[in-house]
Amino acid sequence: MSLKTRGIVFATFFGSCLIVGLLVAALTTDNWVQASPKRYNSSESQGRIHFGLFGGQKHLNVAYGWRRHDVDVLAVLQDEPDVMSYWLWLGTAIGTGLGALGGAVSAVASVLKSSSASKKSGTMVVLFAANILSGLSQILSFVCWMLQFLQYLTHNVLVAEDRDNNWYSSGLASLSTSFYLVVAGIVIVIINITLLIVATSMEKRERNRVLEVPTDEKTQGAIMLY
């Protein structure tokens, strides 16, 4: 493998590390969705709510000052299934986690491949498999959360206690930063796979050149002998 081909493979290391960072941030931050709920028959009331896959915060002001409450997403999933779907949440969490794992495997494999002059294709296969796994997992996460948002969260992000207190959030929610980290991760996977395809093509051309050289030498030797 030439130095140029190794450089292209090594470039995927940085992409893979970025994927891991983005998806770990997506898992640990509380900004998958945000909303500005309002209260019926109260122009002075204001609300802000945001949460991720595991927790978040809710700020409600009924004209007497802001009150902060923590949001326990797991408790909401268990106690109020009409607010969020457990299976769509699970698909999002698993997809994001597997995406980060695929990125980590890809990062290790890219270092091993780029630092070795070996022509064996096993590491390249692992590289492709890890990136494809990461990409498919992130797509799963993307699709599940989009369905979660369109079917549930765009209509309501509030628990029954808040709704009973005349708060509503229908049409007031939007996707937030943590979700877009997954979108960025999908784009980087596409770039990684494109780079690997280019590197594989270059490696094949290098092998063909090596195979052609002995043939030419033998032909010239036969001509001289004749």
Side-chain angles (χ1 to χ4, degrees), residues 51 73 77 80-86 89 145 148 152-153:
F51 56 83
V73 175
L77 289 167
E80 304 198 39
D82 58 320
V83 176
M84 292 178 66
S85 164
Y86 170 77
W89 170 87
W145 194 257
Q148 185 85 271
Y152 293 88
L153 300 177

Side-chain angles (χ1 to χ4, degrees), residues 116-194:
S116 173
S118 173
K119 298 178 182 179
K120 295 180 180 179
S121 59
T123 309
M124 188 64 82
V125 172
V126 173
L127 260 172
F128 271 106
N131 277 279
I132 291 171
L133 169 65
S134 181
L136 292 177
S137 298
Q138 291 179 73
I139 290 172
L140 172 65
S141 175
F142 173 88
V143 171
C144 285
W145 194 257
M146 280 298 298
L147 291 174
Q148 185 85 271
F149 179 77
L150 294 174
Q151 294 184 6
Y152 293 88
L153 300 177
T154 191
H155 305 295
N156 172 57
V157 297
L158 299 166
V159 295
E161 180 182 358
D162 296 323
R163 298 197 302 272
D164 292 342
N165 198 25
N166 292 325
W167 288 94
Y168 70 94
S169 63
S170 179
L172 301 175
S174 62
L175 297 167
S176 194
T177 312
S178 302
F179 170 77
Y180 291 111
L181 295 178
V182 176
V183 177
I186 293 172
V187 173
I188 296 172
V189 165
I190 294 172
I191 294 173
N192 270 2
I193 292 175
T194 302

